[in-house]
């Protein structure tokens, strides 16, 4: 028996492994090895359970032999990863009319009845598949209830309740084995990362008595708080109970430690309590994990039924991992691999309390994590007015445009009907740490009437309170309780450890001083992308910008730019000062000019007044600037070459700010990046002018400085021609938002409309604006990197599209030899941890979340 690899009696040396028998079976063997009082257990392997599911009968005599004749048994699932779930446990197998009578003598009628009832009900529901409602009216205190339940079973099934323990056990095993193959169970576990062919093991364990004479009961205990990870004895114990009853019937449960509010396990069974603490501590050290102990007490004696990894919030996970490493239980590197980088979002943004009820109005794309509540407003102006009144508001738009920036700053969250992961609202929302759901197309947006209609027919009006949960991509009714964002000392410690092992740089995309400050607080190693155009929407700059756009001659344009120069210079000085000598990569003006113009008639009129021009002039100019495909039109370097005065002004502002900020702080070496390049000649032309501006500023100011000029690779052609571009560029930064858009020929602003259909039908495995398409776009990255480096070995390579913050893209870029990734400031910690995990993984050959056994 001991040697049977499929029906394995668990002893310290039995052939039990997580990969063949599941995590629970393996954990129980470890507890047996620690000499804990674990009831007898037999583990069934994945193969055995598969055979049972397909109708084969295991060797029941061999299976039941270790338990003797009178034992009651329970069966629990044992999948490879406990998170993949499995069918619920079934207790008290083996009870029948004869044993019931014995149990009445041993434990009393009440306890025996409760045990038999529990089994009959579980058997009826899980094995005979009867409707659970049929037991709703059963009153457990009624002395005849058992007879009634057995009769109900017989009436429904037209069979007697099975009395043979072997039959009972076999049927339970069959039902659990088959439940694992059900569609819902399969989809649920696959959603948690289980492979399609994941196996299920089962453990058959002798029931340790927990009902009867003396102090008997069952419970769970752990030594940390699941929400905070702080050391605190928590759990539940209920006298005269089984399984997880103590958790279900909380009101009657006892305190574990002595407590002035009521009786405790420590007082009722002090020795068992002390042992429990000792065992749970021992499990922590020997199993190298914070464990919850499931136990029973039988007349004061302790049995340990199971050890389960303590459930934990992201906060708790970090504190637990750090404290295990601090106590020398696991190495620091392993602590790093224990945290899912994405879970860090929970610490950086407010979240809806997971215990709160959720009234979901609609779902969309989870574009920027965190949650916030507020009254619905339908325009940026209303958002600003609401903020001025001190009323939190949620800005609802069909999609946002640069004109909405101030409204977004005023709002607590943003909801849009259209858009995808790289649409305006998403990019800006992530940059600001503003919760944002985009592409909520199941809602009907009636912007004129200022109402929203949800798919289930509910109508929301301006002023109604909603909550945007950007972590899950949901819009909720009302104001559920939120948990605040907090980065405690354990988080800081973990991040320091991450930086010690990380071997790829992490910078932030930051456009404003506030972004830069956030980037610094999160220890970004510089700014990898500063989108300068956002600066032109601030305050009265928009009017000057519009004057520049309307200028008829170079002279008039230069005059307007002359007024923008000091504003840009001031912006850059502030950024350089905040970043204290760290690299700041400034992208020259990128969007098409018409984005700065009003789009409706009222706006045109206002502009005509402001610029003192006839309305017809304004309308004509707006028409002149309009393009069929603005994102593929006169923008980026094309504008820079056609209207070179804009880049001249920006270069001057950067250099003058460099001199100014270097005067009283660390020397600044600015990086200037040219957007939307597709040809070498574009770079040559811009470089010549920027060099000329640098020379002029040096001469005028009598000060020297250095700078680096680089190219943003966001057209497929730039990636393919990287070999001839690189000699003119100190760095190449891959803008994977536009590169994805252009590689697929897929508008980043419109893709949200059909993306979910595409993903559901398996056309794309995921939204490529969300998950880097490593096959297509990725190949361009590799080609660009390779050809660029071949031409110029010291070429600095980076990614600054939104993918830069995702762990998978970081892995890809690191493997392709990139120097750094740049992402929204709030994703910097996620990127730092993900990058550290990659280094650890490479060093020790393990996957994140898996123990470093050989360290
Ligand atoms: C990009 O295209 O990847 C990029 C970073 O630039 P933007 O999102 O501003 O177009
Ligand atoms: Mg771009």
């Amino acid at each position: 028996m001991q040697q049977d690899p499929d029906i394995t009696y668990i002893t310290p040396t039995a052939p039990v492994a997580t990969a063949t028998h599941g995590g629970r079976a393996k954990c129980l063997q470890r507890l047996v090895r620690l000499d804990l009082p674990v009831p007898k257990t037999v583990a069934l392997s994945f193969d055995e359970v598969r055979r049972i599911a397909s109708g084969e009968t295991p060797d029941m005599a061999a299976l039941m032999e270790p338990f003797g004749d009178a034992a009651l048994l329970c069966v629990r699932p044992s999948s490879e990863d406990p998170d993949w779930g499995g069918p619920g446990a079934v207790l008290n197998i083996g009870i029948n009319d004869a044993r019931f009578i014995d149990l009445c003598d041993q434990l009393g009628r009440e306890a025996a009845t409760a045990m038999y009832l529990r089994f009959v009900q579980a058997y009826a529901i899980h094995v005979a598949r009867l409707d659970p409602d049929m037991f709703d009216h059963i009153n457990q205190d009624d002395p005849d209830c058992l007879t009634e339940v057995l009769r109900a079973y017989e009436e429904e099934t037209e069979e007697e309740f099975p009395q043979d323990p072997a039959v009972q056990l076999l049927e339970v095993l069959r039902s659990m084995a088959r439940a694992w193959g059900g569609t819902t169970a399969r989809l649920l576990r696959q959603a948690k990362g289980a492979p399609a062919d994941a196996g299920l093991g089962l453990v058959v364990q002798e029931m340790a008595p927990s009902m009867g004479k003396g102090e008997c009961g069952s419970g769970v205990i752990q030594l940390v708080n699941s929400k905070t990870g702080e050391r605190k004895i928590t759990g539940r114990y209920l006298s005269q109970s089984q399984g997880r009853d103590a958790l279900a019937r909380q009101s009657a449960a006892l305190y574990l430690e002595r407590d002035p509010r009521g009786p405790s396990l420590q007082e009722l069974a002090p020795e068992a309590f002390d042992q429990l603490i000792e065992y749970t501590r021992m499990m922590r050290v020997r199993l190298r994990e914070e464990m919850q102990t499931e136990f029973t007490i039988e007349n004061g004696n302790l049995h340990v039924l199971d050890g389960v990894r303590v459930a934990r919030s992201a906060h708790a996970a970090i504190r637990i991992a750090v404290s295990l490493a601090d106590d020398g239980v696991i190495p620091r590197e392993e602590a790093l691999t224990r945290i899912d980088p994405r879970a860090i979002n929970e610490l950086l943004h407010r979240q809806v309390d997971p215990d709160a009820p959720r009234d979901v109005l609609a779902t969309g794309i989870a574009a920027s994590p965190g949650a916030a509540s507020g009254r619905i407003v339908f325009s940026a102006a209303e958002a600003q007015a609401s903020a001025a009144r001190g009323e939190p508001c949620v800005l609802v738009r069909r999609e946002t445009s640069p004109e909405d920036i101030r409204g977004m700053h005023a709002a607590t969250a943003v909801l849009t009907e259209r858009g995808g992961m790289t649409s305006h609202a998403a990019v800006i929302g992530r940059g600001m740490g503003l919760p944002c759901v985009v592409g909520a197309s199941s809602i009907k947006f009636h912007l004129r009437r200022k109402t929203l209609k949800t798919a289930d027919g509910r109508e929301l009006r301006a002023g109604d309170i909603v909550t945007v949960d950007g972590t899950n991509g949901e819009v909720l009714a009302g104001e559920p309780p939120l948990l605040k964002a907090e980065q405690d000392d354990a988080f800081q410690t973990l991040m320091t450890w991450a930086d010690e092992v990380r071997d790829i740089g992490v910078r932030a995309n930051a456009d404003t001083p506030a972004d830069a400050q956030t980037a610094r607080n999160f220890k970004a190693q510089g700014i990898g992308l500063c989108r300068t155009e956002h600066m032109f929407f601030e305050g009265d700059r928009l009017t000057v910008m519009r004057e520049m756009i309307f200028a008829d001659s170079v002279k008039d344009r230069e005059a307007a730019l002359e007024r923008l120069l000091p504003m840009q210079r001031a912006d850059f000085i502030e950024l350089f000062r905040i970043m204290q000598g760290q690299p700041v990569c400034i992208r020259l003006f990128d969007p098409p000019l018409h984005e700065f113009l009003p789009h409706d008639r009222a706006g045109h009129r206002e502009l005509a007044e402001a610029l003192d021009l006839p309305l017809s002039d304004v309308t004509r100019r707006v028409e002149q600037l309009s393009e069929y495909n603005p994102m593929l039109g006169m923008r980026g370097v094309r504008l820079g070459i056609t209207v070179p005065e804009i880049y001249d002004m920006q270069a001057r502002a950067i250099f003058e700010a460099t001199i100014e900020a270097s005067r009283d702080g660390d020397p600044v070496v600015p990086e200037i990046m040219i957007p939307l390049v597709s040809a070498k000649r574009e770079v040559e032309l811009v470089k010549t002018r920027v060099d000329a501006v640098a020379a002029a500023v040096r001469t005028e100011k009598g000060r020297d400085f250095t700078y680096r000029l680089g190219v943003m690779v966001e057209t497929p052609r730039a990636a393919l021609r990287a070999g001839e571009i690189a000699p003119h560029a100190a760095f190449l930064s891959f803008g994977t938002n536009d590169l994805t858009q252009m590689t697929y020929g897929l508008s980043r602003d419109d893709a949200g409309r059909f993306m979910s259909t595409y993903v559901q039908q398996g056309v794309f495995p995921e939204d490529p604006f969300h998950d880097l398409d490593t096959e297509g776009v990725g190949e361009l990255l590799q080609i660009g990197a390779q050809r660029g480096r071949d031409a110029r070995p010291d070429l600095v390579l980076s990614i600054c599209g939104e993918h830069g913050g995702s762990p998978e893209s970081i892995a890809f870029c690191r493997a392709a030899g990139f120097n750094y990734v740049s992402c929204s400031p709030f994703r910097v910690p996620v990127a730092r941890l993900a990058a550290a995990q990659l280094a650890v993984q490479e060093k020790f050959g393990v996957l994140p979340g898996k123990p470093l056994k050989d360290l």
Side-chain angles (χ1 to χ4, degrees):
M1 162 67 128
Q2 226 137 322
Q3 298 315 319
D4 186 338
D6 291 315
I7 300 181
T8 319
Y9 179 54
I10 297 186
T11 64
T13 54
V16 175
T18 307
T20 51
H21 293 77
R24 172 168 272 132
K26 187 67 207 171
C27 179
L28 283 165
Q29 183 177 48
R30 294 200 173 116
L31 304 190
V32 169
R33 283 183 187 156
L34 296 179
D35 225 5
L36 302 192
V38 178
K40 287 177 192 161
T41 310
V42 172
L44 303 188
S45 70
F46 297 167
D47 286 342
E48 189 64 38
V49 174
R50 272 190 203 109
R51 283 192 286 270
I52 295 173
S54 67
E56 284 182 40
T57 303
D59 181 346
M60 292 305 289
L63 168 53
M64 296 179 75
E65 194 247 353
F67 303 111
D69 283 339
L72 296 186
L73 305 175
C74 77
V75 183
R76 277 176 280 158
S78 177
S79 53
E80 196 171 337
D81 182 328
D83 287 347
W84 298 346
V90 178
L91 312 185
N92 302 337
I93 302 162
I95 196 165
N96 53 22
D97 295 349
R99 281 190 191 168
F100 171 68
I101 293 170
D102 293 346
L103 286 172
C104 285
D105 290 345
Q106 286 166 25
L107 312 175
R109 191 174 183 87
E110 200 182 326
T113 304
M115 289 166 73
Y116 202 177
L117 263 182
R118 178 192 281 267
F119 179 55
V120 178
Q121 291 190 9
Y123 194 91
I125 294 166
H126 299 296
V127 181
R129 305 230 148 247
L130 302 186
D131 186 349
D133 294 352
M134 68 181 268
F135 301 112
D136 275 359
H137 65 285
I138 302 293
N139 174 6
Q140 300 233 0
D141 300 331
D142 178 348
D144 293 331
C145 68
L146 182 59
T147 324
E148 210 185 307
V149 166
L150 285 169
R151 193 179 325 112
Y153 177 91
E154 286 166 16
E155 269 169 23
E156 281 293 320
T157 60
E158 297 181 1
E159 280 173 16
E160 279 194 10
F161 188 75
Q163 296 291 306
D164 179 351
V167 171
Q168 293 178 351
L169 178 59
L170 176 61
E171 292 306 324
V172 168
L173 295 175
R174 277 201 179 126
S175 75
M176 291 174 79
R178 287 183 182 150
W180 183 248
T183 314
T184 321
R186 191 163 34 78
L187 290 178
L188 278 176
R189 65 177 175 267
Q190 281 179 0
K192 290 182 182 159
D197 61 349
L200 175 74
L202 291 171
V203 295
V204 182
Q205 191 177 63
E206 181 173 3
M207 292 289 302
S210 58
M211 298 175 84
K213 311 221 165 79
E215 182 48 48
C216 292
S218 63
V220 294
I221 186 169
Q222 61 189 52
L223 305 180
V224 293
N225 175 312
S226 278
K227 274 197 174 162
T228 63
E230 269 149 15
R231 302 215 71 71
K232 167 122 189 66
I233 296 174
T234 49
R236 293 272 162 185
Y237 171 78
L238 186 64
S239 294
Q240 305 298 331
S241 74
Q242 289 191 304
R244 299 204 143 217
D245 287 352
L247 297 177
R249 284 190 274 138
Q250 300 211 345
S251 52
L254 301 185
Y255 295 101
L256 292 176
E257 275 184 295
R258 195 168 281 119
D259 195 297
R261 289 168 295 176
S264 66
L265 179 65
Q266 191 170 22
E267 288 154 310
L268 288 175
E271 272 179 34
F273 176 81
D274 289 347
Q275 270 179 341
L276 252 182
I277 302 287
E278 188 198 318
Y279 291 160
T280 312
R281 275 200 195 122
M282 193 201 290
M283 280 157 73
R284 174 177 188 262
V285 175
R286 303 288 289 275
L287 273 55
R288 310 164 75 246
E289 180 53 291
E290 201 62 63
M291 300 296 284
Q292 184 186 65
T293 310
E294 193 173 330
F295 65 95
T296 63
I297 297 202
E298 177 202 6
N299 203 6
N301 295 315
L302 179 65
H303 300 277
V304 172
L305 310 187
D306 207 354
V308 182
R309 185 177 173 272
V310 163
R312 60 199 73 178
S313 68
H315 261 292
I318 293 177
R319 186 163 290 284
I320 289 170
V322 167
S323 108
L324 284 170
D326 277 345
D327 294 348
V329 177
I330 58 173
R332 286 180 178 183
E333 286 91 344
E334 184 168 349
L336 290 168
T337 66
R338 295 240 177 143
I339 310 297
D340 175 1
R342 288 193 177 83
I344 288 186
N345 278 322
E346 265 183 49
L347 282 74
L348 307 177
H349 307 276
R350 283 186 300 166
Q351 304 292 336
V352 176
D353 185 339
D355 298 332
R358 301 171 78 88
D359 180 1
V360 180
L361 295 168
T363 53
I365 295 171
S368 174
S373 311
R375 291 186 188 283
I376 295 176
V377 294
F378 286 94
S379 71
E382 287 165 44
Q384 285 174 274
S386 180
R389 292 194 300 275
E391 272 178 20
C393 65
V394 170
L395 177 62
V396 175
R397 305 286 289 151
R398 216 173 278 294
E399 60 199 331
T400 60
S401 68
E403 282 170 280
D404 292 314
I405 288 274
R406 272 173 282 166
M408 291 179 76
H409 275 292
T412 57
V414 175
L415 167 66
T416 70
E417 179 186 25
R418 297 188 189 143
M421 275 311 280
T422 58
S423 61
H424 181 265
V427 172
I428 302 295
R430 277 197 295 277
M432 286 162 47
L434 189 69
C436 178
V437 171
V438 301
S441 49
S442 71
I443 302 185
K444 287 214 162 44
F445 285 59
H446 295 291
L447 297 186
R448 267 168 212 244
R449 276 194 271 143
K450 299 198 171 174
T451 60
L452 299 177
K453 188 121 183 219
T454 63
D456 63 4
R458 284 188 271 181
E459 190 170 82
L460 299 162
R461 299 173 172 281
D464 287 351
I465 294 184
V466 291
T467 297
V468 171
D469 183 344
T471 308
N472 295 326
E474 288 179 348
V475 187
L476 310 175
E479 274 179 295
L482 302 182
L483 303 179
K484 66 176 192 294
E486 224 168 13
Q487 297 109 48
D488 53 19
D489 54 328
F491 169 81
Q492 305 298 357
T493 305
L494 189 85
M495 294 316 289
T496 311
W497 296 348
D499 290 344
E500 281 164 14
V501 298
R502 185 161 56 81
D503 54 13
I504 180 167
V506 177
R507 294 197 197 177
N509 295 350
D511 310 336
T512 63
D515 291 348
Q517 196 54 58
T518 312
R520 249 208 102 72
N521 295 348
F522 288 142
K523 301 211 167 56
Q525 294 160 290
I527 293 178
L529 171 65
C530 170
R531 295 174 163 105
T532 45
E533 59 272 11
H534 294 158
M535 298 166 165
F536 295 113
F537 285 96
E538 296 285 322
D540 50 4
R541 297 173 183 198
L542 190 56
T543 317
V544 187
M545 187 67 191
R546 286 170 170 171
E547 267 178 49
M548 191 274 290
I549 295 171
F550 274 83
D552 277 335
S553 63
V554 171
K555 208 164 132 281
D556 286 354
R557 186 172 305 123
E558 279 177 348
L561 286 165
E562 189 75 9
R563 285 166 62 206
L564 288 171
L565 174 71
M567 303 177 192
Q568 280 261 279
R569 189 174 51 221
D571 292 333
F572 296 140
I573 291 174
E574 211 176 339
L575 283 188
F576 292 152
R577 287 205 170 126
I578 292 170
M579 296 314 290
Q580 298 176 1
Q582 286 192 322
V584 176
C585 181
I586 297 165
R587 178 179 74 184
L588 298 174
F589 192 87
D590 181 44
L593 285 179
H594 80 90
E595 278 196 11
F596 294 85
L597 299 178
H599 300 297
D600 56 12
R601 232 180 141 63
H604 293 172
R605 208 171 304 118
E606 247 174 61
L607 185 57
E609 259 165 42
L611 301 181
D612 197 18
L613 286 171
L615 178 61
S616 56
D617 277 14
V618 170
T619 322
R620 187 162 22 85
R621 188 81 178 115
V622 172
E623 273 165 16
Q624 269 171 2
L625 285 171
S626 82
E627 293 173 291
Y628 285 109
N629 279 317
M631 290 303 273
L632 301 178
M634 194 152 96
R635 56 172 283 221
V637 69
R638 299 165 195 169
L639 190 62
I641 285 173
T642 324
V643 190
E645 300 82 10
I646 302 178
Y647 281 8
D648 287 352
M649 179 280 283
Q650 289 198 299
R652 175 170 281 275
I654 293 168
F655 296 138
E656 290 180 359
T658 300
I659 292 175
E660 193 58 39
S662 303
R663 224 185 272 286
D664 50 355
D666 296 316
V668 174
V669 178
E671 296 174 352
I672 298 180
M673 181 153 75
I674 314 171
L676 217 77
V677 165
S678 57
K680 170 186 80 163
R681 183 77 185 134
E682 290 168 329
V683 186
E684 286 173 350
L685 288 174
V686 174
K687 188 169 183 329
T688 307
R689 283 191 83 115
V690 170
D691 284 344
V693 174
V697 174
R698 282 192 188 107
T699 314
E700 283 163 31
K701 306 281 175 192
R703 303 271 308 241
D704 199 11
F705 54 84
T706 49
Y707 68 95
R708 287 187 280 268
L709 189 85
V711 165
M712 210 167 160
V713 179
E714 39 185 358
T715 65
R717 194 175 191 284
L720 295 171
R721 304 307 297 162
E724 59 179 9
I725 291 173
H728 305 280
F731 60 89
L732 296 185
S733 187
F734 289 82
T736 46
N737 303 335
D738 273 310
L739 192 57
T740 301
Q741 167 165 267
M742 297 200 204
T743 304
Y744 279 83
L746 180 66
S747 158
R748 53 198 267 198
D749 300 303
D750 300 311
R753 285 206 199 169
F754 56 88
M755 191 55 73
S756 55
T757 314
Y758 253 51
V759 172
Q760 266 163 19
Q761 300 200 12
V763 184
F764 299 158
E766 252 308 329
D767 178 348
F769 291 109
H770 190 270
D771 285 14
L772 181 69
D773 158 43
T774 50
E775 291 170 354
V777 180
E779 191 173 357
L780 284 171
L781 256 58
Q782 279 164 334
I783 291 172
Q786 177 85 48
R787 293 184 184 171
R789 278 261 170 86
D790 284 351
R792 182 172 184 160
D794 66 344
L795 184 70
V796 172
L797 295 171
S798 62
I799 178 174
C800 63
E802 289 305 304
H803 303 95
S806 94
E808 293 76 19
S809 317
I810 297 171
F812 185 87
C813 293
R814 181 175 173 273
F818 281 38
N819 300 78
Y820 69 87
V821 299
S822 188
C823 55
S824 312
F826 282 94
R827 294 173 97 188
V828 165
V830 177
R832 284 162 66 201
L833 180 58
Q837 290 186 347
L838 293 165
V840 173
Q841 192 180 331
E842 190 171 282
K843 192 163 154 202
F844 299 104
V846 291
L847 296 170
K850 299 283 176 227
L852 302 181
K853 289 205 193 76
D854 302 329
L855 282 176

